[in-house]
Amino acid sequence: TGDLAASLHHKAVLLHARGAYDAADSLYQRALQMRRDRAAPSDVAETLDHWGQLYHDQGAYNLADSLYGQALALRREAFGAGDHRMASTLSNLAVLRHDQGRYDVADSLYRTALALNRARYGTAHPVVASDLNNLATLLYAQGATAEAESTFREVLTIRRQLFDDDHPDVATALNNLAALVSDRGDIAGAEALYREALSIRRRAFGPNHPRVATSLNNLAWALYEQGDLDAAEPLYREALAVRRRTLGDDHPSVAISLNNVARLLQARGQYADAEPLYREALALRRRTLGDDHPYTALSLYNLAGLLDERGTPRAAEPLYREALAIREATLPGDHLAIAVNRLHLGQCLMTLEQYAEAETLLVGSLPMLTEHLGEDDALVAEARSYLADLYAATGRPAHAASYTVPAQQP
């Protein structure tokens, strides 16, 4: 029975990796039933962990949470809280808390798992690289880009030492490093990294796999940011189709693709086509992530921006406000997303002639934007322009003059 349970478990892991989620689900369930009867606690916890990852990958966060919790309790009772065998479940739970937007809890769990695995395996080990990658992803989400980039580079170095260049884990490291490179403004450099990652993943997984969809999405983003909308659109749409096929219509990753297709259509002025996609993404995120998640805030902000751009600021205002409230509650106080949200809520309120509150928001956003982006950034110029317009509209020309952006000299 033990050998059969182990065989079922390992077959489930392979099916899971290939994206055959329904078949994997059935095998995990059978393996767990057998292992509960006869196997050691570590084997039961192993199946609980992997089954939890399956539900996590499908966006079923509550089911994943329950399975991870059972695994953690088994490991703690069997081995003690400081044992390295706690690390795998702690890491899984950290990724779940990250995806749920509970960043402080995730940070503590990631660092605990990393310390346990480093003590056990040393530095150059796949498990340690995975822990570092997860921590770097969280740091990036929190806006700690310098620490995130150095950590991603450490991950890539370790994985190139351990694996050949066609290994999927190398693709993951390339993909994540590309995001940091793009943040420095090197979009062409990011594009090259995204293309390499996509090529590796297509060879490793075939065309219909969630990780291939992620690489398609990211390459499309790089092309979009360089103004090549015609090249970006089919990649965004392919990513959406792959995610619907492999993950189902109710997965958080589908919302990412819906949002990105909508953003591209908005950039083309196809507002009527973009709006229902933004609304579908928002509804999906409310269902799967909850009302207080940073990604729900992003969908609110994007829909507000579209409505504002279409000339309906009164419809945009409550969405901007809800997005800002979520971001202020879940992100660090100096996060760039908070500054940008305040900027555009302030601009919206100016249009509605709510000048006092608009002034507070705009004045507060300007130093944050300058700190993040520098004096010469377009968003900083936008904030100064809004303030100049606000002071001109409220009869304060001296204030307006102090914010007027000087014309460029030939």
Side-chain angles (χ1 to χ4, degrees):
T1 303
D3 289 345
L4 177 58
S7 176
L8 290 170
H9 173 90
H10 292 304
K11 286 179 182 176
V13 171
L14 290 172
L15 289 167
H16 181 178
R18 293 172 187 159
Y21 292 154
D22 289 344
D25 187 19
S26 175
L27 291 182
Y28 279 137
Q29 185 174 9
R30 289 174 60 194
L32 181 62
Q33 288 171 345
M34 291 182 181
R35 283 183 157 180
R36 281 196 191 280
D37 289 340
R38 295 176 179 270
S42 58
D43 292 334
V44 178
E46 180 187 35
T47 298
L48 286 165
D49 267 331
H50 281 88
W51 198 12
Q53 286 178 323
L54 178 72
Y55 283 126
H56 188 170
D57 288 346
Q58 295 176 92
Y61 292 166
N62 289 338
L63 290 172
D65 204 346
S66 173
L67 292 168
Y68 289 155
Q70 293 175 57
L72 193 65
L74 275 173
R75 291 185 191 278
R76 185 181 290 116
E77 183 178 352
F79 309 121
D83 191 275
H84 74 275
R85 285 165 287 191
M86 294 287 292
S88 60
T89 306
L90 289 169
S91 182
N92 289 338
L93 195 56
V95 177
L96 179 64
R97 295 292 177 259
H98 181 172
D99 289 345
Q100 291 172 321
R102 298 171 61 182
Y103 292 160
D104 289 345
V105 177
D107 186 277
S108 175
L109 291 168
Y110 279 142
R111 293 182 190 276
T112 302
L114 176 60
L116 290 171
N117 281 326
R118 271 184 167 153
R120 171 68 175 176
Y121 300 114
T123 300
H125 191 278
V127 171
V128 173
S130 179
D131 287 342
L132 285 166
N133 181 77
N134 291 338
L135 177 59
T137 303
L138 177 67
L139 292 167
Y140 178 61
Q142 293 177 302
T145 54
E147 186 179 356
E149 180 171 355
S150 66
T151 307
F152 277 137
R153 290 192 181 278
E154 183 179 357
V155 172
L156 183 58
T157 299
I158 293 171
R159 286 178 170 169
R160 286 201 189 277
Q161 288 173 354
L162 294 171
F163 308 122
D164 62 46
D165 286 342
D166 258 6
H167 195 282
D169 286 355
V170 174
T172 299
L174 289 165
N175 179 78
N176 292 338
L177 182 58
L180 270 296
V181 169
S182 69
D183 268 4
R184 291 206 312 269
D186 183 7
I187 308 300
E191 180 191 341
L193 294 169
Y194 283 139
R195 286 190 185 279
E196 186 179 355
L198 175 59
S199 178
I200 293 170
R201 284 174 166 172
R202 276 183 161 152
R203 288 194 296 274
F205 301 121
N208 285 303
H209 192 281
R211 291 187 186 178
V212 173
T214 297
S215 283
L216 287 164
N217 179 81
N218 292 342
L219 177 56
W221 175 88
L223 293 167
Y224 173 95
E225 290 297 315
Q226 294 175 91
D228 194 350
L229 274 58
D230 289 341
E233 182 172 357
L235 297 176
Y236 271 145
R237 290 191 181 277
E238 185 181 352
L240 176 58
V242 172
R243 283 171 166 167
R244 286 197 191 276
R245 283 196 300 270
T246 59
L247 301 172
D249 289 335
D250 232 26
H251 192 278
S253 292
V254 173
I256 294 173
S257 285
L258 287 165
N259 178 80
N260 289 338
V261 175
R263 180 168 169 256
L264 185 145
L265 294 171
Q266 180 182 355
R268 285 189 165 143
Q270 297 173 234
Y271 300 139
D273 295 325
E275 184 173 340
L277 298 180
Y278 276 141
R279 290 192 181 278
E280 185 181 353
L282 174 58
L284 199 164
R285 282 173 166 163
R286 286 196 190 278
R287 287 196 306 275
T288 59
L289 302 176
D291 290 334
D292 297 323
H293 194 281
Y295 284 175
T296 303
L298 177 62
S299 279
L300 287 161
Y301 172 82
N302 288 339
L303 179 57
L306 177 72
L307 295 171
D308 208 2
E309 200 172 315
R310 293 189 78 175
T312 55
R314 202 163 297 283
E317 179 196 352
L319 301 177
Y320 277 137
R321 288 189 185 280
E322 187 179 355
L324 180 59
I326 295 168
R327 286 168 161 170
E328 289 177 337
T330 59
L331 298 175
D334 61 349
H335 198 284
L336 178 59
I338 293 174
V340 174
N341 205 142
R342 287 174 180 167
L343 169 69
H344 289 126
L345 175 57
Q347 176 270 326
C348 179
L349 293 175
M350 274 182 59
T351 307
L352 297 171
E353 299 183 355
Q354 298 178 32
Y355 293 125
E357 187 180 359
E359 180 181 356
T360 299
L361 288 164
L362 294 171
V363 169
S365 70
L366 181 57
M368 292 173 67
L369 292 168
T370 305
E371 176 69 23
H372 279 283
L373 304 171
E375 289 281 357
D376 297 330
D377 187 82
L379 275 175
V380 174
E382 190 177 330
R384 295 181 66 86
S385 176
Y386 290 152
L387 280 164
D389 291 345
L390 183 147
Y391 289 128
T394 54
R396 289 176 282 177
H399 283 77
S402 69
Y403 286 103
T404 299
V405 179
Q408 295 292 320
Q409 296 299 314

PDB file of all heavy atoms in Angstrom, residues 175-206:
ATOM      1  N   ASN A 175      12.638  35.529 -16.300  1.00  0.00           N
ATOM      2  CA  ASN A 175      11.376  36.264 -16.305  1.00  0.00           C
ATOM      3  C   ASN A 175      11.319  37.290 -15.183  1.00  0.00           C
ATOM      4  O   ASN A 175      10.944  38.452 -15.388  1.00  0.00           O
ATOM      5  CB  ASN A 175      10.225  35.265 -16.167  1.00  0.00           C
ATOM      6  CG  ASN A 175       8.871  35.917 -16.137  1.00  0.00           C
ATOM      7  OD1 ASN A 175       8.344  36.304 -17.165  1.00  0.00           O
ATOM      8  ND2 ASN A 175       8.295  36.040 -14.962  1.00  0.00           N
ATOM      9  N   ASN A 176      11.705  36.876 -14.002  1.00  0.00           N
ATOM     10  CA  ASN A 176      11.616  37.772 -12.853  1.00  0.00           C
ATOM     11  C   ASN A 176      12.657  38.889 -12.913  1.00  0.00           C
ATOM     12  O   ASN A 176      12.368  40.033 -12.544  1.00  0.00           O
ATOM     13  CB  ASN A 176      11.759  36.974 -11.564  1.00  0.00           C
ATOM     14  CG  ASN A 176      10.575  36.053 -11.330  1.00  0.00           C
ATOM     15  OD1 ASN A 176       9.489  36.271 -11.861  1.00  0.00           O
ATOM     16  ND2 ASN A 176      10.774  35.012 -10.549  1.00  0.00           N
ATOM     17  N   LEU A 177      13.853  38.564 -13.388  1.00  0.00           N
ATOM     18  CA  LEU A 177      14.874  39.599 -13.530  1.00  0.00           C
ATOM     19  C   LEU A 177      14.440  40.624 -14.576  1.00  0.00           C
ATOM     20  O   LEU A 177      14.697  41.827 -14.418  1.00  0.00           O
ATOM     21  CB  LEU A 177      16.205  38.969 -13.924  1.00  0.00           C
ATOM     22  CG  LEU A 177      17.383  39.929 -14.066  1.00  0.00           C
ATOM     23  CD1 LEU A 177      17.626  40.701 -12.776  1.00  0.00           C
ATOM     24  CD2 LEU A 177      18.639  39.154 -14.470  1.00  0.00           C
ATOM     25  N   ALA A 178      13.760  40.166 -15.625  1.00  0.00           N
ATOM     26  CA  ALA A 178      13.286  41.086 -16.664  1.00  0.00           C
ATOM     27  C   ALA A 178      12.377  42.159 -16.088  1.00  0.00           C
ATOM     28  O   ALA A 178      12.419  43.327 -16.509  1.00  0.00           O
ATOM     29  CB  ALA A 178      12.559  40.316 -17.758  1.00  0.00           C
ATOM     30  N   ALA A 179      11.536  41.798 -15.127  1.00  0.00           N
ATOM     31  CA  ALA A 179      10.639  42.777 -14.509  1.00  0.00           C
ATOM     32  C   ALA A 179      11.426  43.889 -13.825  1.00  0.00           C
ATOM     33  O   ALA A 179      11.057  45.067 -13.895  1.00  0.00           O
ATOM     34  CB  ALA A 179       9.719  42.085 -13.503  1.00  0.00           C
ATOM     35  N   LEU A 180      12.540  43.527 -13.186  1.00  0.00           N
ATOM     36  CA  LEU A 180      13.366  44.540 -12.523  1.00  0.00           C
ATOM     37  C   LEU A 180      14.104  45.396 -13.534  1.00  0.00           C
ATOM     38  O   LEU A 180      14.237  46.611 -13.367  1.00  0.00           O
ATOM     39  CB  LEU A 180      14.367  43.845 -11.593  1.00  0.00           C
ATOM     40  CG  LEU A 180      13.935  43.579 -10.154  1.00  0.00           C
ATOM     41  CD1 LEU A 180      13.703  44.867  -9.404  1.00  0.00           C
ATOM     42  CD2 LEU A 180      12.690  42.725 -10.099  1.00  0.00           C
ATOM     43  N   VAL A 181      14.597  44.776 -14.595  1.00  0.00           N
ATOM     44  CA  VAL A 181      15.289  45.519 -15.652  1.00  0.00           C
ATOM     45  C   VAL A 181      14.342  46.548 -16.272  1.00  0.00           C
ATOM     46  O   VAL A 181      14.721  47.692 -16.539  1.00  0.00           O
ATOM     47  CB  VAL A 181      15.835  44.540 -16.720  1.00  0.00           C
ATOM     48  CG1 VAL A 181      16.321  45.286 -17.956  1.00  0.00           C
ATOM     49  CG2 VAL A 181      16.965  43.706 -16.131  1.00  0.00           C
ATOM     50  N   SER A 182      13.097  46.145 -16.474  1.00  0.00           N
ATOM     51  CA  SER A 182      12.122  47.080 -17.053  1.00  0.00           C
ATOM     52  C   SER A 182      11.838  48.242 -16.113  1.00  0.00           C
ATOM     53  O   SER A 182      11.608  49.367 -16.560  1.00  0.00           O
ATOM     54  CB  SER A 182      10.819  46.344 -17.386  1.00  0.00           C
ATOM     55  OG  SER A 182      10.136  45.945 -16.216  1.00  0.00           O
ATOM     56  N   ASP A 183      11.863  47.987 -14.805  1.00  0.00           N
ATOM     57  CA  ASP A 183      11.636  49.067 -13.839  1.00  0.00           C
ATOM     58  C   ASP A 183      12.711  50.138 -13.913  1.00  0.00           C
ATOM     59  O   ASP A 183      12.468  51.294 -13.552  1.00  0.00           O
ATOM     60  CB  ASP A 183      11.595  48.498 -12.413  1.00  0.00           C
ATOM     61  CG  ASP A 183      10.196  48.141 -11.982  1.00  0.00           C
ATOM     62  OD1 ASP A 183       9.276  48.256 -12.817  1.00  0.00           O
ATOM     63  OD2 ASP A 183      10.012  47.729 -10.824  1.00  0.00           O
ATOM     64  N   ARG A 184      13.913  49.765 -14.362  1.00  0.00           N
ATOM     65  CA  ARG A 184      14.979  50.739 -14.533  1.00  0.00           C
ATOM     66  C   ARG A 184      14.845  51.487 -15.857  1.00  0.00           C
ATOM     67  O   ARG A 184      15.679  52.337 -16.179  1.00  0.00           O
ATOM     68  CB  ARG A 184      16.342  50.049 -14.493  1.00  0.00           C
ATOM     69  CG  ARG A 184      16.742  49.502 -13.134  1.00  0.00           C
ATOM     70  CD  ARG A 184      18.264  49.439 -13.049  1.00  0.00           C
ATOM     71  NE  ARG A 184      18.835  48.820 -14.226  1.00  0.00           N
ATOM     72  CZ  ARG A 184      19.093  47.521 -14.357  1.00  0.00           C
ATOM     73  NH1 ARG A 184      18.818  46.703 -13.370  1.00  0.00           N
ATOM     74  NH2 ARG A 184      19.635  47.050 -15.471  1.00  0.00           N
ATOM     75  N   GLY A 185      13.830  51.148 -16.635  1.00  0.00           N
ATOM     76  CA  GLY A 185      13.595  51.819 -17.903  1.00  0.00           C
ATOM     77  C   GLY A 185      14.211  51.125 -19.097  1.00  0.00           C
ATOM     78  O   GLY A 185      14.092  51.618 -20.225  1.00  0.00           O
ATOM     79  N   ASP A 186      14.845  49.975 -18.896  1.00  0.00           N
ATOM     80  CA  ASP A 186      15.466  49.253 -19.999  1.00  0.00           C
ATOM     81  C   ASP A 186      14.473  48.230 -20.552  1.00  0.00           C
ATOM     82  O   ASP A 186      14.594  47.017 -20.330  1.00  0.00           O
ATOM     83  CB  ASP A 186      16.751  48.571 -19.526  1.00  0.00           C
ATOM     84  CG  ASP A 186      17.502  47.857 -20.650  1.00  0.00           C
ATOM     85  OD1 ASP A 186      17.098  48.010 -21.824  1.00  0.00           O
ATOM     86  OD2 ASP A 186      18.485  47.152 -20.344  1.00  0.00           O
ATOM     87  N   ILE A 187      13.461  48.713 -21.280  1.00  0.00           N
ATOM     88  CA  ILE A 187      12.408  47.837 -21.773  1.00  0.00           C
ATOM     89  C   ILE A 187      12.950  46.884 -22.842  1.00  0.00           C
ATOM     90  O   ILE A 187      12.558  45.719 -22.907  1.00  0.00           O
ATOM     91  CB  ILE A 187      11.225  48.654 -22.336  1.00  0.00           C
ATOM     92  CG1 ILE A 187      10.752  49.695 -21.302  1.00  0.00           C
ATOM     93  CG2 ILE A 187      10.072  47.738 -22.696  1.00  0.00           C
ATOM     94  CD1 ILE A 187      10.292  49.124 -19.996  1.00  0.00           C
ATOM     95  N   ALA A 188      13.863  47.376 -23.691  1.00  0.00           N
ATOM     96  CA  ALA A 188      14.445  46.501 -24.707  1.00  0.00           C
ATOM     97  C   ALA A 188      15.233  45.360 -24.061  1.00  0.00           C
ATOM     98  O   ALA A 188      15.186  44.204 -24.525  1.00  0.00           O
ATOM     99  CB  ALA A 188      15.345  47.309 -25.638  1.00  0.00           C
ATOM    100  N   GLY A 189      15.967  45.657 -22.982  1.00  0.00           N
ATOM    101  CA  GLY A 189      16.675  44.609 -22.260  1.00  0.00           C
ATOM    102  C   GLY A 189      15.724  43.600 -21.647  1.00  0.00           C
ATOM    103  O   GLY A 189      15.982  42.386 -21.668  1.00  0.00           O
ATOM    104  N   ALA A 190      14.601  44.096 -21.105  1.00  0.00           N
ATOM    105  CA  ALA A 190      13.591  43.199 -20.549  1.00  0.00           C
ATOM    106  C   ALA A 190      12.990  42.321 -21.640  1.00  0.00           C
ATOM    107  O   ALA A 190      12.766  41.117 -21.435  1.00  0.00           O
ATOM    108  CB  ALA A 190      12.501  44.009 -19.854  1.00  0.00           C
ATOM    109  N   GLU A 191      12.730  42.915 -22.811  1.00  0.00           N
ATOM    110  CA  GLU A 191      12.164  42.139 -23.921  1.00  0.00           C
ATOM    111  C   GLU A 191      13.048  40.946 -24.270  1.00  0.00           C
ATOM    112  O   GLU A 191      12.554  39.823 -24.475  1.00  0.00           O
ATOM    113  CB  GLU A 191      11.986  43.027 -25.151  1.00  0.00           C
ATOM    114  CG  GLU A 191      11.407  42.270 -26.349  1.00  0.00           C
ATOM    115  CD  GLU A 191      11.458  43.056 -27.651  1.00  0.00           C
ATOM    116  OE1 GLU A 191      11.594  44.300 -27.603  1.00  0.00           O
ATOM    117  OE2 GLU A 191      11.358  42.418 -28.716  1.00  0.00           O
ATOM    118  N   ALA A 192      14.357  41.160 -24.339  1.00  0.00           N
ATOM    119  CA  ALA A 192      15.274  40.070 -24.669  1.00  0.00           C
ATOM    120  C   ALA A 192      15.199  38.947 -23.636  1.00  0.00           C
ATOM    121  O   ALA A 192      15.191  37.758 -23.990  1.00  0.00           O
ATOM    122  CB  ALA A 192      16.695  40.602 -24.782  1.00  0.00           C
ATOM    123  N   LEU A 193      15.133  39.312 -22.350  1.00  0.00           N
ATOM    124  CA  LEU A 193      15.030  38.304 -21.289  1.00  0.00           C
ATOM    125  C   LEU A 193      13.700  37.569 -21.370  1.00  0.00           C
ATOM    126  O   LEU A 193      13.637  36.337 -21.197  1.00  0.00           O
ATOM    127  CB  LEU A 193      15.194  38.973 -19.923  1.00  0.00           C
ATOM    128  CG  LEU A 193      16.571  39.566 -19.623  1.00  0.00           C
ATOM    129  CD1 LEU A 193      16.527  40.421 -18.369  1.00  0.00           C
ATOM    130  CD2 LEU A 193      17.622  38.465 -19.473  1.00  0.00           C
ATOM    131  N   TYR A 194      12.609  38.304 -21.624  1.00  0.00           N
ATOM    132  CA  TYR A 194      11.294  37.669 -21.745  1.00  0.00           C
ATOM    133  C   TYR A 194      11.252  36.708 -22.933  1.00  0.00           C
ATOM    134  O   TYR A 194      10.631  35.631 -22.851  1.00  0.00           O
ATOM    135  CB  TYR A 194      10.208  38.726 -21.902  1.00  0.00           C
ATOM    136  CG  TYR A 194       9.821  39.443 -20.632  1.00  0.00           C
ATOM    137  CD1 TYR A 194       9.579  40.819 -20.634  1.00  0.00           C
ATOM    138  CD2 TYR A 194       9.670  38.757 -19.427  1.00  0.00           C
ATOM    139  CE1 TYR A 194       9.208  41.488 -19.473  1.00  0.00           C
ATOM    140  CE2 TYR A 194       9.305  39.414 -18.262  1.00  0.00           C
ATOM    141  CZ  TYR A 194       9.072  40.784 -18.293  1.00  0.00           C
ATOM    142  OH  TYR A 194       8.700  41.438 -17.141  1.00  0.00           O
ATOM    143  N   ARG A 195      11.879  37.074 -24.047  1.00  0.00           N
ATOM    144  CA  ARG A 195      11.893  36.182 -25.210  1.00  0.00           C
ATOM    145  C   ARG A 195      12.642  34.885 -24.891  1.00  0.00           C
ATOM    146  O   ARG A 195      12.222  33.792 -25.290  1.00  0.00           O
ATOM    147  CB  ARG A 195      12.526  36.885 -26.413  1.00  0.00           C
ATOM    148  CG  ARG A 195      11.645  37.932 -27.066  1.00  0.00           C
ATOM    149  CD  ARG A 195      12.214  38.421 -28.392  1.00  0.00           C
ATOM    150  NE  ARG A 195      11.413  39.496 -28.931  1.00  0.00           N
ATOM    151  CZ  ARG A 195      10.273  39.333 -29.604  1.00  0.00           C
ATOM    152  NH1 ARG A 195       9.813  38.099 -29.822  1.00  0.00           N
ATOM    153  NH2 ARG A 195       9.610  40.370 -30.078  1.00  0.00           N
ATOM    154  N   GLU A 196      13.761  35.009 -24.193  1.00  0.00           N
ATOM    155  CA  GLU A 196      14.526  33.811 -23.832  1.00  0.00           C
ATOM    156  C   GLU A 196      13.712  32.911 -22.908  1.00  0.00           C
ATOM    157  O   GLU A 196      13.687  31.685 -23.080  1.00  0.00           O
ATOM    158  CB  GLU A 196      15.851  34.214 -23.175  1.00  0.00           C
ATOM    159  CG  GLU A 196      16.770  33.034 -22.902  1.00  0.00           C
ATOM    160  CD  GLU A 196      18.101  33.436 -22.276  1.00  0.00           C
ATOM    161  OE1 GLU A 196      18.373  34.649 -22.131  1.00  0.00           O
ATOM    162  OE2 GLU A 196      18.867  32.506 -21.922  1.00  0.00           O
ATOM    163  N   ALA A 197      13.030  33.526 -21.936  1.00  0.00           N
ATOM    164  CA  ALA A 197      12.201  32.746 -21.014  1.00  0.00           C
ATOM    165  C   ALA A 197      11.063  32.041 -21.750  1.00  0.00           C
ATOM    166  O   ALA A 197      10.770  30.863 -21.490  1.00  0.00           O
ATOM    167  CB  ALA A 197      11.643  33.660 -19.920  1.00  0.00           C
ATOM    168  N   LEU A 198      10.410  32.740 -22.678  1.00  0.00           N
ATOM    169  CA  LEU A 198       9.315  32.142 -23.444  1.00  0.00           C
ATOM    170  C   LEU A 198       9.811  30.968 -24.274  1.00  0.00           C
ATOM    171  O   LEU A 198       9.167  29.908 -24.335  1.00  0.00           O
ATOM    172  CB  LEU A 198       8.673  33.198 -24.347  1.00  0.00           C
ATOM    173  CG  LEU A 198       7.586  32.702 -25.309  1.00  0.00           C
ATOM    174  CD1 LEU A 198       6.434  32.052 -24.555  1.00  0.00           C
ATOM    175  CD2 LEU A 198       7.081  33.848 -26.193  1.00  0.00           C
ATOM    176  N   SER A 199      10.963  31.119 -24.909  1.00  0.00           N
ATOM    177  CA  SER A 199      11.518  30.048 -25.726  1.00  0.00           C
ATOM    178  C   SER A 199      11.788  28.798 -24.891  1.00  0.00           C
ATOM    179  O   SER A 199      11.452  27.670 -25.304  1.00  0.00           O
ATOM    180  CB  SER A 199      12.800  30.531 -26.400  1.00  0.00           C
ATOM    181  OG  SER A 199      13.380  29.511 -27.166  1.00  0.00           O
ATOM    182  N   ILE A 200      12.368  28.974 -23.708  1.00  0.00           N
ATOM    183  CA  ILE A 200      12.646  27.836 -22.825  1.00  0.00           C
ATOM    184  C   ILE A 200      11.343  27.163 -22.412  1.00  0.00           C
ATOM    185  O   ILE A 200      11.212  25.926 -22.446  1.00  0.00           O
ATOM    186  CB  ILE A 200      13.432  28.294 -21.580  1.00  0.00           C
ATOM    187  CG1 ILE A 200      14.835  28.768 -21.973  1.00  0.00           C
ATOM    188  CG2 ILE A 200      13.514  27.170 -20.545  1.00  0.00           C
ATOM    189  CD1 ILE A 200      15.583  29.446 -20.840  1.00  0.00           C
ATOM    190  N   ARG A 201      10.354  27.965 -22.031  1.00  0.00           N
ATOM    191  CA  ARG A 201       9.104  27.389 -21.527  1.00  0.00           C
ATOM    192  C   ARG A 201       8.329  26.670 -22.624  1.00  0.00           C
ATOM    193  O   ARG A 201       7.711  25.623 -22.365  1.00  0.00           O
ATOM    194  CB  ARG A 201       8.260  28.489 -20.885  1.00  0.00           C
ATOM    195  CG  ARG A 201       8.790  28.887 -19.514  1.00  0.00           C
ATOM    196  CD  ARG A 201       8.068  30.056 -18.909  1.00  0.00           C
ATOM    197  NE  ARG A 201       8.396  30.172 -17.483  1.00  0.00           N
ATOM    198  CZ  ARG A 201       8.034  31.184 -16.700  1.00  0.00           C
ATOM    199  NH1 ARG A 201       7.310  32.194 -17.201  1.00  0.00           N
ATOM    200  NH2 ARG A 201       8.367  31.198 -15.429  1.00  0.00           N
ATOM    201  N   ARG A 202       8.338  27.201 -23.827  1.00  0.00           N
ATOM    202  CA  ARG A 202       7.643  26.497 -24.914  1.00  0.00           C
ATOM    203  C   ARG A 202       8.287  25.130 -25.167  1.00  0.00           C
ATOM    204  O   ARG A 202       7.598  24.141 -25.419  1.00  0.00           O
ATOM    205  CB  ARG A 202       7.662  27.350 -26.175  1.00  0.00           C
ATOM    206  CG  ARG A 202       6.546  28.391 -26.211  1.00  0.00           C
ATOM    207  CD  ARG A 202       6.561  29.169 -27.499  1.00  0.00           C
ATOM    208  NE  ARG A 202       5.280  29.819 -27.730  1.00  0.00           N
ATOM    209  CZ  ARG A 202       5.121  30.940 -28.413  1.00  0.00           C
ATOM    210  NH1 ARG A 202       6.181  31.557 -28.947  1.00  0.00           N
ATOM    211  NH2 ARG A 202       3.922  31.470 -28.584  1.00  0.00           N
ATOM    212  N   ARG A 203       9.611  25.075 -25.124  1.00  0.00           N
ATOM    213  CA  ARG A 203      10.288  23.781 -25.322  1.00  0.00           C
ATOM    214  C   ARG A 203      10.011  22.824 -24.160  1.00  0.00           C
ATOM    215  O   ARG A 203       9.863  21.620 -24.355  1.00  0.00           O
ATOM    216  CB  ARG A 203      11.795  23.986 -25.480  1.00  0.00           C
ATOM    217  CG  ARG A 203      12.196  24.620 -26.804  1.00  0.00           C
ATOM    218  CD  ARG A 203      13.689  24.493 -27.050  1.00  0.00           C
ATOM    219  NE  ARG A 203      14.492  25.204 -26.073  1.00  0.00           N
ATOM    220  CZ  ARG A 203      14.826  26.492 -26.158  1.00  0.00           C
ATOM    221  NH1 ARG A 203      14.413  27.216 -27.190  1.00  0.00           N
ATOM    222  NH2 ARG A 203      15.594  27.055 -25.239  1.00  0.00           N
ATOM    223  N   ALA A 204       9.948  23.367 -22.959  1.00  0.00           N
ATOM    224  CA  ALA A 204       9.790  22.516 -21.780  1.00  0.00           C
ATOM    225  C   ALA A 204       8.352  22.035 -21.590  1.00  0.00           C
ATOM    226  O   ALA A 204       8.129  20.889 -21.184  1.00  0.00           O
ATOM    227  CB  ALA A 204      10.247  23.273 -20.530  1.00  0.00           C
ATOM    228  N   PHE A 205       7.368  22.909 -21.878  1.00  0.00           N
ATOM    229  CA  PHE A 205       5.981  22.620 -21.507  1.00  0.00           C
ATOM    230  C   PHE A 205       5.023  22.472 -22.680  1.00  0.00           C
ATOM    231  O   PHE A 205       3.899  22.014 -22.494  1.00  0.00           O
ATOM    232  CB  PHE A 205       5.445  23.732 -20.596  1.00  0.00           C
ATOM    233  CG  PHE A 205       6.217  23.914 -19.324  1.00  0.00           C
ATOM    234  CD1 PHE A 205       6.819  25.132 -19.023  1.00  0.00           C
ATOM    235  CD2 PHE A 205       6.347  22.883 -18.415  1.00  0.00           C
ATOM    236  CE1 PHE A 205       7.531  25.315 -17.852  1.00  0.00           C
ATOM    237  CE2 PHE A 205       7.059  23.047 -17.237  1.00  0.00           C
ATOM    238  CZ  PHE A 205       7.655  24.262 -16.951  1.00  0.00           C
ATOM    239  N   GLY A 206       5.432  22.888 -23.883  1.00  0.00           N
ATOM    240  CA  GLY A 206       4.490  22.914 -24.979  1.00  0.00           C
ATOM    241  C   GLY A 206       3.675  24.203 -24.963  1.00  0.00           C
ATOM    242  O   GLY A 206       3.851  25.062 -24.099  1.00  0.00           O
TER     243      GLY A 206
END
